Amino acid sequence: MSFAPYIIVGLILLIIPPFVHADIQLMLAKFLAFAVFAIGYNLVFGYLGLLSLGHGVYFGAGGYTVALLQYHLDIDSFWIAMPLAIVIAALLAAALGPIVLRSTGMYFLLLTFALGELFYSIAWHWPFMNVIGVGGEMGMRGITGIMYPDLNIPGLTLTSTSFYYFIFVGFVICYILLYRITNSPFGHALVGIRESEPRMQALGYNTWRYKYIAFIISAGFSGVGGAMFAWNNTIIDPSHFAVGTSFLPMVMSIIGGSKILFGPVIGALIVIFAEYFASITVRARWPLILGGIFVASVMFARAGIGVYLARLWEKVRVRYGNTKG
Amino acid sequence: MEILRVENLSKSFGGVHAVNDVSFSVEVGERLAVIGPNGAGKTTLFNLINGQLRPTAGRIYFCGQDITKMLTHQRAHAGQGRSFQLTSLFLDLTVFENALLALNGTKPSRYQVLRPITGYEDLMAKAEETLKAAALWEQKDELVKNISYGEQRRLEIALTTVLSDLRLLLLDEPSCGLTGAESADIIEMIRKLGRDITVLLVAHDMDLVFGVAERIMVLHYGEIIADGEPEEIQASPMVKEIYMGSEEDTGSARAS
Ligand SMILES: Nc1ncnc2c1ncn2[C@@H]1O[C@H](COP(=O)(O)OP(=O)(O)OP(=O)(O)O)[C@@H](O)[C@H]1O
Ligand SMILES: [Mg+2]
C-alpha cells in the first residue's frame, strides 16, 4: 500500500481544527482517542481473533489513572500520567490475562464481559474512585473536572486546539507502533493463531505466550486511548469500564474492517462523527442510529468499509496511471 | 538407534479406549506406516506423540528423553514435525504467508515485535527456495484455499519438512483425496527425505503405504494387532480379515 492516503488524511486532520468550533475540535480529539482504543483492541479482536467485551477495563484504567492522579495527588504532568496509565492498564491485563485467555469464543466473551461489570461495580462503590459531594442519589459517579495534562514545556499551556494537536501526535505514534507490531514476525504469528492455534503449536509457536503478550499490548494501547479520552472529556465515570464502552471498539473494528490496521480508525471516525451529529439533532435516537450503522455495514460491507476504501483507492490509482501513488 | 519409544500408552474418551495399552519403538530413519480401519485410534496416537492430547496412562520417550508432559510447541523445537489429517495449512492465508509461518516457528526471530518480517532476508530467501522446490512459487500470493487440492497437499509436505532440526515426521493421511498422479508426487517427496529423518505416517492409500513404508503397524480398536514388514502384514490372515477385508469392500485395497 502506498502512503498517499495516509498523507491526505493526515493533512486534513492537521489543517481543519483551527477553523472549526471548539465542539468539533472536541469531537475530533474524541475520535482520535477512540481510534487508538480501537486499533489497540483490534490487535486481540481482528489479529488474534478473540472477541473481547471487556476492554473497557483497560480504557477505564487509563482514564481513571490520569483522573485520580490529578484528583488525589495533584499530579497533572503528562510524563508521569501517561506512562502510569499504560503501566496500570498493562498490569491489569497481565493479571487478568491468565483468567480470560484460558478460554476462547463465547466463554472468552462472557469472561471479559463479567470482568468489565466487576470493575464497573468497584468504580461505582469505592469512594476513592468517586468525587466527593457528587452523591449516589443524584446518580452521578466518577470524576469530573479533569484538566489537560501539563507537558512541562515552559510557556506552553494546552488549549483546545493545541490539545487536539497533541492528541493527534499521540495517535500517529500509536498507529506507527501498531503498524510495526502487526508487520513483525510477532504480528504474523498472531494471525496464524487466529487461523489455527493447534497448527501454530505444531510449528513450534508457544501460542499461550503470544496471546498473553498481545493481550497486554492491546490493553496498553487501550489505556492510552482512555487517558486521551479522559483529558478530552473532562469526566470519567464507571460506565467507561463496562460493556457500553467495551463494545464500541468492537463495533468500530467491524464497521471499518478488523483484518486491516486502519479499519478500526475508519470505524471510529464513522461512529464518533455519527454520534456527534446525533447529539445535536436526535440525541435520544443515538443507540438506534448506531445499531442501524452497524447492521448496514455488516450487511453491505461485510469485510469492513476500510477494505472497500482501499479497493477504491486502488482503482483511482490505476485510472490515473500514477503507479507510485 | 532408537528415536521414539512408546510404553503402555493409553487414551480414553469417556468409555472409548481410543488407544489401549500400546507399546512400540521406532529406529532413526525408519519409515513406519500406521494403518487400521476408521476409528482405530491412529490420529489419537499421533496426537499423543505430538502432544495435542495427554495420555490417560503410559509414557513417551523421544530421543531418549521422557516427553510425556512436554507441550506441543516444545516437541516441535525438539524435532517433531507434523501434518494434520484434514489440513495443516492456513487456508485463508496466502501460500507465501504459510511458508513464513512454517519457517519461523522455531527461529529466535519469532518473538520480534517491532521489526517487519520482510526484513529477515534469510527467512525470505528460505521461503522462496522452499516454494520453488515444491513448484509453488508462481502461486505464492494466492490464498491457499484457492489453489488445487494436489497443490495444497504438496505445500503441506513441503512446509512440514522445513522445520529446523527435523527428526521425526508425523504425517496423518498426507495423500487423502488425491488422484493417482498427485499421490505419486507425495510419495516422491517423502522418498526424497534424508535418512536422518524418521517418518511415521497414517494412510488408507495403499500405494502410499507400500510405496514408502518399510514397516507397517496395524491398529484395531486402539490396539496393535500386527507389526512387521510390508510382506508379512500383507500375508497375515488376521490383518486381511480385520483390515484389508474391509478395505476390499470399498474397492481400494491393493491387489495382492
Ligand atoms: N477428542 C475426542 N473426543 C472423543 N472421542 C474421540 C476424540 N478423538 C477421537 N475419539 C474417538 O476415538 C476413536 C479413535 O479415533 P481416531 O480419530 O484416533 O481414529 P483414526 O484411526 O484416526 O480414524 P480415521 O481413519 O477415521 O482417521 C474413535 O472412536 C473416535 O470417535
Ligand atoms: Mg484419523
Side-chain angles (χ1 to χ4, degrees), chain B residues 13 16 18 36-45 53 85 172-173 204:
Chain B
F13 300 103
V16 183
N38 289 74
K42 306 177 297 289
T43 298
T44 305
L45 178 64
L53 292 173
Q85 184 161 358
D172 198 347
E173 308 236 11
H204 283 297

Side-chain angles (χ1 to χ4, degrees), chain A:
Chain A
M1 240 202 80
S2 69
F3 285 103
Y6 288 105
I7 293 166
I8 294 168
V9 174
L11 281 178
I12 292 171
L13 288 174
L14 275 176
I15 293 168
I16 287 178
F19 304 107
V20 295
H21 191 266
D23 282 357
I24 296 186
Q25 289 179 341
L26 201 73
M27 183 265 290
L28 287 171
K30 181 176 181 181
F31 147 59
L32 292 176
F34 266 96
V36 170
F37 182 23
I39 49 175
Y41 169 84
N42 197 45
L43 192 67
V44 164
F45 175 63
Y47 285 83
L48 197 49
L50 290 172
L51 204 172
S52 155
L53 267 186
H55 266 55
V57 169
Y58 315 106
F59 181 83
Y64 267 93
T65 300
V66 301
L68 291 172
L69 275 178
Q70 288 186 6
Y71 185 70
H72 288 296
L73 299 173
D74 249 335
I75 293 173
D76 56 5
S77 166
F78 167 79
W79 309 105
I80 298 174
M82 185 51 98
L84 206 61
I86 298 170
V87 166
I88 296 210
L91 280 179
L92 274 175
L96 300 177
I99 301 171
V100 296
L101 288 171
R102 280 170 193 286
S103 57
T104 53
M106 187 58 93
Y107 295 99
F108 182 80
L109 185 152
L110 288 174
L111 272 174
T112 51
F113 165 76
L115 283 171
E117 300 313 293
L118 176 71
F119 275 77
Y120 169 79
S121 172
I122 293 172
W124 181 274
H125 292 291
W126 193 14
F128 178 74
M129 292 177 79
N130 287 282
V131 173
I132 299 157
V134 190
E137 288 96 335
M138 294 164 64
M140 265 288 276
R141 288 274 157 172
I143 295 171
T144 56
I146 303 166
M147 287 170 307
Y148 289 146
D150 182 356
L151 295 180
N152 300 106
I153 299 171
L156 179 73
T157 317
L158 289 179
T159 62
S160 64
T161 308
S162 54
F163 175 74
Y164 168 82
Y165 284 114
F166 168 69
I167 291 294
F168 179 78
V169 170
F171 163 75
V172 171
I173 293 171
C174 289
Y175 191 89
I176 291 172
L177 278 174
L178 274 159
Y179 179 84
R180 297 202 66 127
I181 292 169
T182 51
N183 282 293
S184 70
F186 179 86
H188 281 247
L190 295 186
V191 172
I193 295 170
R194 174 187 81 205
E195 295 297 313
S196 170
E197 193 170 350
R199 280 173 228 155
M200 285 298 277
Q201 288 169 346
L203 290 173
Y205 294 89
N206 182 348
T207 57
W208 159 258
R209 191 186 285 187
Y210 282 90
K211 283 158 71 172
Y212 190 51
I213 295 172
F215 193 66
I216 292 172
I217 293 175
S218 167
F221 281 103
S222 303
V224 173
M228 288 173 164
F229 171 80
W231 285 321
N232 188 54
N233 196 52
T234 74
I235 301 171
I236 189 107
D237 69 67
S239 76
H240 293 117
F241 280 114
V243 67
T245 300
S246 294
F247 102 118
L248 284 173
M250 180 200 76
V251 169
M252 290 165 179
S253 300
I254 292 174
I255 290 177
S258 66
K259 303 285 188 287
I260 44 177
L261 186 61
F262 65 91
V265 180
I266 308 279
L269 185 84
I270 291 168
V271 170
I272 301 297
F273 271 58
E275 185 196 29
Y276 176 75
F277 289 110
S279 75
I280 54 176
T281 50
V282 281
R283 170 166 289 220
R285 294 274 178 273
W286 169 234
L288 190 71
I289 294 168
L290 180 59
I293 295 171
F294 184 57
V295 170
S297 81
V298 169
M299 283 176 65
F300 301 115
R302 189 129 255 216
I305 290 164
V307 172
Y308 297 94
L309 287 178
R311 274 185 212 155
L312 190 69
W313 174 256
E314 255 330 283
K315 275 201 192 127
V316 170
R317 239 174 55 158
V318 170
R319 167 79 56 86
Y320 295 101
N322 181 358
T323 45
K324 270 189 178 163

Side-chain angles (χ1 to χ4, degrees), chain A residues 177 180-181 183-186 188-189 191-192 194-196 198-206 209-210 217, chain B residues 72-73 76-77 84 87-90 92-93 97 101-102 104-105 109-117 120:
Chain A
L177 278 174
R180 297 202 66 127
I181 292 169
N183 282 293
S184 70
F186 179 86
H188 281 247
V191 172
R194 174 187 81 205
E195 295 297 313
S196 170
R199 280 173 228 155
M200 285 298 277
Q201 288 169 346
L203 290 173
Y205 294 89
N206 182 348
R209 191 186 285 187
Y210 282 90
I217 293 175
Chain B
T72 297
H73 70 92
H77 286 261
F84 291 84
T87 180
S88 312
L89 300 168
F90 303 99
D92 284 320
L93 303 181
E97 189 66 45
L101 288 175
N104 215 25
S109 61
R110 70 190 181 282
Y111 283 122
Q112 258 293 334
V113 175
L114 288 176
R115 237 181 99 180
I117 198 164
Y120 292 88

